Amino acid sequence: MTKQLKYCAACLLLLGATACGDDSDAFYTTAYPVVRVEAEITVPTPDPDPEEPTDPEEPTDPTDPTDPAPETKAGEGEPDPVIEQIRAEIVATAPVKAGGGYTLSFTKYNGGQLRINTAAEAGEVKGVFFKDPGATDILFYCPEPAMEYTCTVATYKAEDGTSKAVLTVDLTGQYQALYPNAGITKAVRKEYTSANAK
């Protein structure tokens, strides 16, 4: 049996358990309430233009109004509108909005039943998740609406100084394909949660 067939079989078994049962048969349940969603886009830093050599015999006086002012390039220091568009798109298409969250009920040692509160029109979505013991990656799978993505659990420091969990989804390949001329080297969605880091 191929790895993909094993994965599909595991999904069907877990989905059957999700449809027929509740959380009462779970070993334990953990929740990740989402408090904010952000996007992080990385593009190469352009090489700075070489400075023009100055003539030492012609010093410039910054207080002299006849001396030419240094040139400022158009758009220098301003956000790239394409990158800002991509950032807004990633946040807008996030399956879980602030106020929603994930509830994971472990019915197997490496996965179980998933409930997603989207905090949007979709409401609550049911599916399954897979997480190997000790791993930081979690695979979420929902048949309706169709969703499948892997997030990495890391930590961030909240305003009160405590360490909380943040779920990071790598979307680099997807957005490089959608925007081939944007020069994207990294595109991730970060879902900051109020769950204490473990």
Side-chain angles (χ1 to χ4, degrees):
M1 187 180 285
T2 67
K3 185 176 181 181
Q4 187 159 3
L5 284 174
K6 287 180 182 177
Y7 168 72
C8 291
C11 283
L12 290 171
L13 285 172
L14 281 172
L15 281 171
T18 302
C20 301
D22 54 26
D23 295 344
S24 61
D25 56 349
F27 301 127
Y28 69 95
T29 299
T30 188
Y32 293 102
V34 175
V35 294
R36 74 178 189 275
V37 179
E38 294 179 357
E40 183 181 300
I41 311 293
T42 304
V43 293
T45 304
D47 294 331
D49 291 336
E51 293 182 9
E52 292 184 13
T54 57
D55 186 346
E57 294 181 8
E58 293 184 15
T60 57
D61 181 356
T63 61
D64 184 353
T66 62
D67 280 342
E71 292 184 4
T72 303
K73 293 182 180 177
E76 190 173 57
E78 297 174 9
D80 182 329
V82 174
I83 298 303
E84 291 306 304
Q85 176 187 335
I86 295 169
R87 184 176 283 113
E89 186 178 319
I90 288 174
V91 172
T93 57
V96 178
K97 311 298 182 192
Y102 303 87
T103 302
L104 286 63
S105 299
F106 282 82
T107 55
K108 307 288 182 188
Y109 78 97
N110 65 340
Q113 301 169 15
L114 170 68
R115 291 198 321 270
I116 301 177
N117 174 6
T118 65
E121 290 181 11
E124 185 174 270
V125 175
K126 292 185 177 181
V128 294
F129 72 93
F130 297 90
K131 180 182 183 297
D132 288 327
T136 57
D137 287 352
I138 307 173
L139 171 64
F140 295 135
Y141 173 76
C142 298
E144 188 63 39
M147 289 190 290
E148 181 181 338
Y149 55 95
T150 299
C151 67
T152 301
V153 183
T155 61
Y156 77 100
K157 189 163 283 190
E159 291 181 3
D160 61 2
T162 59
S163 290
K164 303 292 184 182
V166 56
L167 309 180
T168 302
V169 181
D170 189 346
L171 303 170
T172 304
Q174 176 183 337
Y175 279 89
Q176 283 175 335
L178 288 171
Y179 297 90
N181 299 322
I184 296 170
T185 56
K186 180 182 177 185
V188 299
R189 181 177 73 237
K190 291 191 170 185
E191 300 173 1
Y192 293 87
T193 79
S194 60
N196 290 327
K198 296 179 181 177

